[in-house]
Amino acid sequence: MLPIIFLLLILFNYEAFGRDIWTPDQAWAWFNSQKYIMGSEYMPAYAVNQLEFFQAETFDADTIDNDLEAYGKLGMNTIRVFMIDVAYTIDPTGFKSRLNTLISIAAKYGIKPTLLFFTPSAIANPVPGKQPLPIPGVESSGWAQTPSANNLMNPSTWPTLETYVKDVVGTFANDSRVLMWDIWNEPDNGLNSTEVSFLDQMLPQAFEWARSVNPIQPLTSSIWNSITSSTGRLQINNSDIVSFHK
Ligand SMILES: *[C@@H]1O[C@H](CO)[C@@H](O)[C@H](O)[C@H]1NC(C)=O
Ligand SMILES: *[C@@H]1O[C@H](CO)[C@@H](O)[C@H](O)[C@H]1NC(C)=O
Ligand SMILES: *[C@@H]1O[C@H](CO)[C@@H](O)[C@H](O)[C@H]1NC(C)=O
């Protein structure tokens, strides 16, 4: 009887907590199995932000196809794609379907997307629907923060974010067309100390949500300012592979 109970416990454990953080050996094995990884951020020509990118009213597969065909011809093999919780929450099935369309188009041109969940940005509390026009000459003027500043500072809203992360990572967890998941882009870029204290609570949880559905892809969180700040250390400690900006 004992071995059977033991086995059941292992299975239960696996279900409940997902996989472990990669060891350095696993991280190197993944890195060494990649081509030279080269690419940039990608926002389609028609979109001022992630909502205009992914909402049903504006999502435009033809433009994405044209953009990525040119991109692939330049020899690029990854794009960083900013997603947004609001686009998922108002229409989970549609959002995942459009994400799958994007991933399929990218695959045609030899491009594996890095998919990003959370990021600080210009619009602190974005709302779905029509988005603002870009401000000429201002980089990323209309990009949207996710989670919104209000939700970041209100942990009672985080279960909605947990559903989003688990469903999206779970849907593509075994999909080799996806390069990696960036759980939180430059998390402390421009946030004040109150926001950072909530960020430091939520960031490790967001990693756990993603890891709980056993993705084959690595998880990372691109470091912005410092590897010694509280946020920087949390990012490094929770990442399968370390990535950084600046
Ligand atoms: C991924 O593949 C593993 C092993 O083949 C399987 O157990 C698991 O259910 C798959 N996960 C998803 C989300 O499809
Ligand atoms: C930090 O930013 C949030 C969101 O914009 C704001 O509500 C809060 O008052 C700010 N706190 C401080 C200490 O500036
Ligand atoms: C990160 O991990 C190191 C080594 O295990 C540990 O000493 C440190 O306290 C951790 N830092 C944070 C912010 O979790």
Side-chain angles (χ1 to χ4, degrees):
M1 205 55 201
L2 201 59
I4 291 173
I5 291 170
F6 185 61
L7 181 64
L8 286 175
L9 282 174
I10 290 176
L11 287 173
F12 178 74
N13 190 52
Y14 183 76
E15 283 278 310
F17 300 110
R19 68 166 173 79
D20 290 333
I21 298 176
W22 283 359
T23 62
D25 282 350
Q26 285 173 297
W28 277 115
W30 174 86
F31 184 75
N32 290 328
S33 72
Q34 304 301 317
K35 292 189 204 156
Y36 184 81
I37 299 169
M38 184 167 66
S40 72
E41 296 182 352
Y42 174 61
M43 188 64 76
Y46 63 83
V48 73
N49 65 20
Q50 310 97 305
L51 279 160
E52 229 166 45
F53 190 163
F54 283 110
Q55 284 181 143
E57 303 88 309
T58 40
F59 184 79
D60 180 353
D62 291 340
T63 299
I64 294 170
D65 197 299
N66 284 338
D67 287 351
L68 295 189
E69 182 179 12
Y71 200 88
K73 281 184 183 154
L74 291 171
M76 307 284 201
N77 55 29
T78 190
I79 45 176
R80 300 179 83 232
V81 173
F82 287 75
M83 305 183 291
I84 187 159
D85 63 299
V86 192
Y88 169 86
T89 308
I90 57 174
D91 179 13
T93 308
F95 176 80
K96 286 185 290 175
S97 156
R98 292 187 284 275
L99 187 58
N100 185 53
T101 300
L102 167 79
I103 295 168
S104 307
I105 295 170
K108 273 202 308 189
Y109 302 115
I111 297 164
K112 290 185 176 198
T114 296
L115 300 173
L116 293 94
F117 282 100
F118 302 122
T119 185
S121 216
I123 301 179
N125 290 290
V127 283
K130 181 111 183 76
Q131 297 303 299
L133 290 170
I135 300 170
V138 179
E139 182 256 324
S140 309
S141 65
W143 283 35
Q145 176 166 328
T146 166
S148 68
N150 290 344
N151 286 352
L152 176 62
M153 294 189 296
N154 181 0
S156 74
T157 66
W158 296 356
T160 309
L161 303 168
E162 177 177 355
T163 302
Y164 162 55
V165 172
K166 285 183 172 173
D167 189 15
V168 172
V169 177
T171 302
F172 300 98
N174 283 342
D175 196 328
S176 59
R177 299 173 305 168
V178 175
L179 183 66
M180 57 183 162
W181 303 97
D182 192 330
I183 300 297
W184 214 310
N185 173 66
E186 301 180 1
D188 48 354
N189 185 356
L191 297 195
N192 67 37
S193 59
T194 314
E195 292 171 304
V196 168
S197 69
F198 285 102
L199 163 68
D200 285 354
Q201 280 178 55
M202 192 187 134
L203 185 137
Q205 296 182 39
F207 270 96
E208 276 176 34
W209 302 334
R211 205 166 266 124
S212 73
V213 291
N214 301 306
I216 59 168
Q217 310 89 353
L219 310 183
T220 192
S221 170
S222 35
I223 290 162
W224 168 240
N225 210 358
S226 161
I227 57 170
T228 53
S229 67
S230 58
T231 306
R233 280 182 296 134
L234 286 169
Q235 289 175 268
I236 291 173
N237 281 13
N238 285 279
S239 288
D240 295 317
I241 57 159
V242 174
S243 62
F244 55 90
H245 297 173
K246 220 177 185 187

